[in-house]
Amino acid sequence: MKALICEAYGPIDTLVVKDIPSPLPGPKQLLIEVRAAAVNFPDALMVQGLYQVKPPLPFTPGAEIAGVVKAVGAEVKHFKAGDRVIALTSTGGFAEECLAEAHRVMPLPAGMDFEAGAALVLTYCTSLHALKDCGHLKPNETLVVLGAAGGVGISAIEIGKAMGARVIAAASSDDKLELCKKVGADETVNYSTENLKDRINELTGGKGADVVYDPVGGPYTEPAVRALAWRGRLLIIGFAAGEIPKIPLNLALLKERSLIGVYWGDSTKHDPAGHLANLQQLNDWFAAGVIRPVVSESFPLAAAKEAIAKIANRQVKGKIVVLPNN
Ligand SMILES: NC(=O)c1ccc[n+]([C@@H]2O[C@H](COP(=O)([O-])OP(=O)(O)OC[C@H]3O[C@@H](n4cnc5c(N)ncnc54)[C@H](OP(=O)(O)O)[C@@H]3O)[C@@H](O)[C@H]2O)c1
């Protein structure tokens, strides 16, 4: 089978597609024919050796897939060959076939295609966990989403609206903000051309935002914290801008603001029941048409490294996917 291979940590351009033997599932594993594999920001960091997880070399990147079960290990009871599934894999997704641990596999919801299935779990689970479990977002509160047209950003807009908040989307271009409006943002801020703090204050009548969802970091975090209301909450999701900001803590003291870290992956181990409940909520919202993963582009396996470069270069709207078996 063909797979994208990272032979050494380094530039994305050094990734290669190769023929490698099909993997065999262990007792608690499934072998899945990959129909779609989503591209996520950590894929770009991982192949460059810049992510907190460094898989042993060589490895195939790709953390979330949707596809059809080809074979199951001896101890796998709830899935069989032919089932349509979604799986979180951490690595291995950009390949014609991929192994997944049974406890990280779920059925593809009825009515969902493989592209949307691959694009659902990581981003939407992160945003639901962040906004509900960490940020305690309440109806009628104001939520500001930074990097709002990116993968986690779009999901935060949709979930924020589903939870009854007023959502202000902030991004770097009018083109990206147009997509944010389309998925439900009430207001927008173009932080390339407008002052982020002033614009949030203007849009909230001087009160400030109740919750800021921040997957970007860099120069955007501090002005967003300064625009948080009394007892406002900053949700720290990631640092796509490449720089981890340092925030003066008097900004927290002065308005009893909270700076809250969000680590969805580990939260599922600490609270597996909560994670299952969140997955069920997402299924219900999908069935009701409340959330719809935005897949803006798809790539064949031969162009997977171009897809990874695109996310590293700030060029993706919503999610993009690789279709290894097309
Ligand atoms: N904490 C968690 O549990 C968790 C879970 C999932 C993801 N994450 C993290 O969340 C972050 C975003 O992930 P994502 O999949 O949404 O990525 P994404 O689709 O690439 O979105 C990130 C956004 O960041 C903005 N950005 C600003 N400066 C950038 C730069 N120099 N390079 C790239 N993007 C830049 C871009 O929006 P503008 O151009 O509009 O500024 C981009 O749309 C990543 O750091 C990821 O590791 C964390």
Side-chain angles (χ1 to χ4, degrees):
M1 67 133 180
K2 286 191 169 37
L4 184 72
I5 308 282
C6 175
E7 294 178 316
Y9 295 122
I12 294 165
D13 194 40
T14 57
L15 296 169
V16 286
V17 173
K18 282 192 164 175
D19 262 312
I20 59 169
S22 268
L24 284 174
K28 295 180 178 165
Q29 290 182 321
L30 289 78
L31 179 65
I32 299 168
E33 181 184 295
V34 182
R35 296 294 180 83
V39 181
N40 288 290
F41 200 81
D43 300 325
L45 297 177
M46 202 182 274
V47 300
Q48 297 177 85
L50 302 174
Y51 193 56
Q52 60 244 38
V53 178
K54 291 189 176 58
L57 295 164
F59 76 97
T60 292
E64 58 175 349
I65 62 168
V68 179
V69 177
K70 279 192 95 167
V72 299
E75 294 176 29
V76 176
K77 302 290 174 223
H78 301 298
F79 295 102
K80 59 180 189 321
D83 285 350
R84 293 153 59 95
V85 294
I86 294 174
L88 288 170
T89 53
S90 304
T91 58
F94 301 133
E96 289 175 333
E97 294 168 3
C98 178
L99 291 177
E101 301 298 325
H103 73 275
R104 301 185 78 201
V105 179
M106 59 182 260
L108 185 73
M112 190 181 284
D113 61 25
F114 289 114
E115 285 91 335
L120 178 81
V121 177
L122 208 146
T123 45
Y124 283 83
C125 282
T126 297
S127 293
L128 180 55
H129 170 61
L131 296 174
K132 178 172 80 70
D133 306 330
C134 304
H136 307 292
L137 180 69
K138 295 189 259 311
N140 301 317
E141 284 194 321
T142 301
L143 165 69
V144 172
V145 179
L146 307 183
V152 294
I154 290 286
S155 67
I157 296 174
E158 288 193 323
I159 292 172
K161 289 306 297 174
M163 292 175 72
R166 174 193 185 206
V167 178
I168 300 173
S172 64
S173 72
D174 291 341
D175 190 34
K176 287 185 174 184
L177 290 169
E178 204 165 297
L179 173 64
C180 298
K181 276 267 189 191
K182 222 161 139 183
V183 302
D186 298 292
E187 316 279 355
T188 58
V189 183
N190 181 334
Y191 48 49
S192 296
T193 58
E194 297 176 287
N195 180 302
L196 181 59
K197 175 184 152 223
D198 292 350
R199 180 78 175 131
I200 294 171
N201 279 328
E202 184 185 312
L203 289 170
T204 56
K207 173 178 175 266
D210 298 298
V211 175
V212 167
Y213 180 98
D214 180 11
V216 184
Y220 306 103
T221 306
E222 186 170 329
V225 170
R226 288 181 184 276
L228 275 174
W230 173 256
R231 293 206 173 150
R233 290 89 79 200
L234 172 75
L235 299 174
I236 304 158
I237 309 296
F239 312 105
E243 182 211 326
I244 299 175
K246 295 183 174 57
I247 303 296
L249 288 180
N250 64 316
L251 297 182
L253 183 152
L254 286 173
K255 290 202 174 178
E256 293 196 356
R257 295 163 170 144
S258 302
L259 313 182
I260 303 168
V262 176
Y263 193 172
W264 168 69
D266 268 19
S267 77
T268 64
K269 295 176 203 155
H270 290 281
D271 181 14
H275 169 54
L276 286 179
N278 284 354
L279 273 177
Q280 187 56 52
Q281 173 69 83
L282 292 174
N283 270 341
D284 294 346
W285 275 338
F286 179 80
V290 173
I291 58 167
R292 280 279 171 270
V294 173
V295 178
S296 59
E297 220 177 330
S298 58
F299 296 75
L301 187 60
K305 68 180 180 185
E306 279 83 5
I308 297 173
K310 218 167 169 175
I311 204 161
N313 294 329
R314 209 174 175 172
Q315 292 168 337
V316 169
K317 283 192 275 181
K319 298 273 282 193
I320 57 177
V321 295
V322 173
L323 308 177
N325 279 290
N326 271 21

PDB file of all heavy atoms in Angstrom, residues 167-179:
ATOM      1  N   VAL A 167     -21.381  35.532  18.829  1.00  0.00           N
ATOM      2  CA  VAL A 167     -20.023  35.160  18.424  1.00  0.00           C
ATOM      3  C   VAL A 167     -19.392  36.244  17.543  1.00  0.00           C
ATOM      4  O   VAL A 167     -19.945  36.643  16.517  1.00  0.00           O
ATOM      5  CB  VAL A 167     -20.016  33.813  17.670  1.00  0.00           C
ATOM      6  CG1 VAL A 167     -18.600  33.462  17.204  1.00  0.00           C
ATOM      7  CG2 VAL A 167     -20.562  32.692  18.569  1.00  0.00           C
ATOM      8  N   ILE A 168     -18.209  36.698  17.976  1.00  0.00           N
ATOM      9  CA  ILE A 168     -17.406  37.643  17.191  1.00  0.00           C
ATOM     10  C   ILE A 168     -16.225  36.860  16.623  1.00  0.00           C
ATOM     11  O   ILE A 168     -15.427  36.303  17.378  1.00  0.00           O
ATOM     12  CB  ILE A 168     -16.885  38.808  18.062  1.00  0.00           C
ATOM     13  CG1 ILE A 168     -18.065  39.584  18.664  1.00  0.00           C
ATOM     14  CG2 ILE A 168     -15.981  39.717  17.241  1.00  0.00           C
ATOM     15  CD1 ILE A 168     -17.651  40.664  19.672  1.00  0.00           C
ATOM     16  N   ALA A 169     -16.144  36.776  15.296  1.00  0.00           N
ATOM     17  CA  ALA A 169     -15.057  36.032  14.650  1.00  0.00           C
ATOM     18  C   ALA A 169     -13.933  36.996  14.296  1.00  0.00           C
ATOM     19  O   ALA A 169     -14.177  38.056  13.725  1.00  0.00           O
ATOM     20  CB  ALA A 169     -15.579  35.360  13.377  1.00  0.00           C
ATOM     21  N   ALA A 170     -12.690  36.608  14.628  1.00  0.00           N
ATOM     22  CA  ALA A 170     -11.534  37.437  14.306  1.00  0.00           C
ATOM     23  C   ALA A 170     -10.569  36.635  13.440  1.00  0.00           C
ATOM     24  O   ALA A 170     -10.231  35.494  13.759  1.00  0.00           O
ATOM     25  CB  ALA A 170     -10.845  37.881  15.593  1.00  0.00           C
ATOM     26  N   ALA A 171     -10.165  37.225  12.312  1.00  0.00           N
ATOM     27  CA  ALA A 171      -9.241  36.533  11.401  1.00  0.00           C
ATOM     28  C   ALA A 171      -8.478  37.571  10.591  1.00  0.00           C
ATOM     29  O   ALA A 171      -8.692  38.778  10.745  1.00  0.00           O
ATOM     30  CB  ALA A 171     -10.017  35.581  10.492  1.00  0.00           C
ATOM     31  N   SER A 172      -7.569  37.067   9.708  1.00  0.00           N
ATOM     32  CA  SER A 172      -6.619  37.978   9.065  1.00  0.00           C
ATOM     33  C   SER A 172      -7.044  38.496   7.698  1.00  0.00           C
ATOM     34  O   SER A 172      -6.323  39.290   7.107  1.00  0.00           O
ATOM     35  CB  SER A 172      -5.263  37.276   8.930  1.00  0.00           C
ATOM     36  OG  SER A 172      -5.393  36.159   8.059  1.00  0.00           O
ATOM     37  N   SER A 173      -8.165  38.026   7.160  1.00  0.00           N
ATOM     38  CA  SER A 173      -8.565  38.563   5.845  1.00  0.00           C
ATOM     39  C   SER A 173     -10.080  38.599   5.731  1.00  0.00           C
ATOM     40  O   SER A 173     -10.793  37.821   6.381  1.00  0.00           O
ATOM     41  CB  SER A 173      -7.985  37.706   4.707  1.00  0.00           C
ATOM     42  OG  SER A 173      -8.669  36.470   4.648  1.00  0.00           O
ATOM     43  N   ASP A 174     -10.559  39.496   4.873  1.00  0.00           N
ATOM     44  CA  ASP A 174     -12.010  39.618   4.675  1.00  0.00           C
ATOM     45  C   ASP A 174     -12.574  38.345   4.053  1.00  0.00           C
ATOM     46  O   ASP A 174     -13.700  37.947   4.345  1.00  0.00           O
ATOM     47  CB  ASP A 174     -12.321  40.837   3.791  1.00  0.00           C
ATOM     48  CG  ASP A 174     -12.019  42.137   4.531  1.00  0.00           C
ATOM     49  OD1 ASP A 174     -11.929  42.101   5.773  1.00  0.00           O
ATOM     50  OD2 ASP A 174     -11.844  43.180   3.864  1.00  0.00           O
ATOM     51  N   ASP A 175     -11.768  37.728   3.207  1.00  0.00           N
ATOM     52  CA  ASP A 175     -12.153  36.475   2.586  1.00  0.00           C
ATOM     53  C   ASP A 175     -12.442  35.397   3.654  1.00  0.00           C
ATOM     54  O   ASP A 175     -13.471  34.706   3.632  1.00  0.00           O
ATOM     55  CB  ASP A 175     -10.955  36.072   1.715  1.00  0.00           C
ATOM     56  CG  ASP A 175     -11.281  34.929   0.820  1.00  0.00           C
ATOM     57  OD1 ASP A 175     -12.429  34.862   0.373  1.00  0.00           O
ATOM     58  OD2 ASP A 175     -10.371  34.088   0.589  1.00  0.00           O
ATOM     59  N   LYS A 176     -11.520  35.285   4.626  1.00  0.00           N
ATOM     60  CA  LYS A 176     -11.713  34.307   5.714  1.00  0.00           C
ATOM     61  C   LYS A 176     -12.937  34.691   6.555  1.00  0.00           C
ATOM     62  O   LYS A 176     -13.718  33.829   6.979  1.00  0.00           O
ATOM     63  CB  LYS A 176     -10.462  34.247   6.603  1.00  0.00           C
ATOM     64  CG  LYS A 176      -9.272  33.535   5.948  1.00  0.00           C
ATOM     65  CD  LYS A 176      -8.091  33.402   6.916  1.00  0.00           C
ATOM     66  CE  LYS A 176      -6.988  32.560   6.298  1.00  0.00           C
ATOM     67  NZ  LYS A 176      -5.862  32.317   7.219  1.00  0.00           N
ATOM     68  N   LEU A 177     -13.117  35.991   6.784  1.00  0.00           N
ATOM     69  CA  LEU A 177     -14.233  36.427   7.635  1.00  0.00           C
ATOM     70  C   LEU A 177     -15.584  36.195   6.969  1.00  0.00           C
ATOM     71  O   LEU A 177     -16.592  35.972   7.641  1.00  0.00           O
ATOM     72  CB  LEU A 177     -14.051  37.895   8.029  1.00  0.00           C
ATOM     73  CG  LEU A 177     -12.886  38.102   9.026  1.00  0.00           C
ATOM     74  CD1 LEU A 177     -12.556  39.578   9.189  1.00  0.00           C
ATOM     75  CD2 LEU A 177     -13.221  37.486  10.386  1.00  0.00           C
ATOM     76  N   GLU A 178     -15.577  36.216   5.638  1.00  0.00           N
ATOM     77  CA  GLU A 178     -16.819  35.925   4.910  1.00  0.00           C
ATOM     78  C   GLU A 178     -17.290  34.502   5.234  1.00  0.00           C
ATOM     79  O   GLU A 178     -18.472  34.255   5.465  1.00  0.00           O
ATOM     80  CB  GLU A 178     -16.541  36.049   3.417  1.00  0.00           C
ATOM     81  CG  GLU A 178     -17.758  36.352   2.589  1.00  0.00           C
ATOM     82  CD  GLU A 178     -17.339  36.811   1.209  1.00  0.00           C
ATOM     83  OE1 GLU A 178     -16.675  37.858   1.098  1.00  0.00           O
ATOM     84  OE2 GLU A 178     -17.646  36.066   0.275  1.00  0.00           O
ATOM     85  N   LEU A 179     -16.335  33.556   5.253  1.00  0.00           N
ATOM     86  CA  LEU A 179     -16.685  32.172   5.611  1.00  0.00           C
ATOM     87  C   LEU A 179     -17.223  32.114   7.052  1.00  0.00           C
ATOM     88  O   LEU A 179     -18.197  31.404   7.335  1.00  0.00           O
ATOM     89  CB  LEU A 179     -15.450  31.262   5.462  1.00  0.00           C
ATOM     90  CG  LEU A 179     -15.625  29.827   5.968  1.00  0.00           C
ATOM     91  CD1 LEU A 179     -16.692  29.075   5.158  1.00  0.00           C
ATOM     92  CD2 LEU A 179     -14.294  29.055   5.898  1.00  0.00           C
TER      93      LEU A 179
END
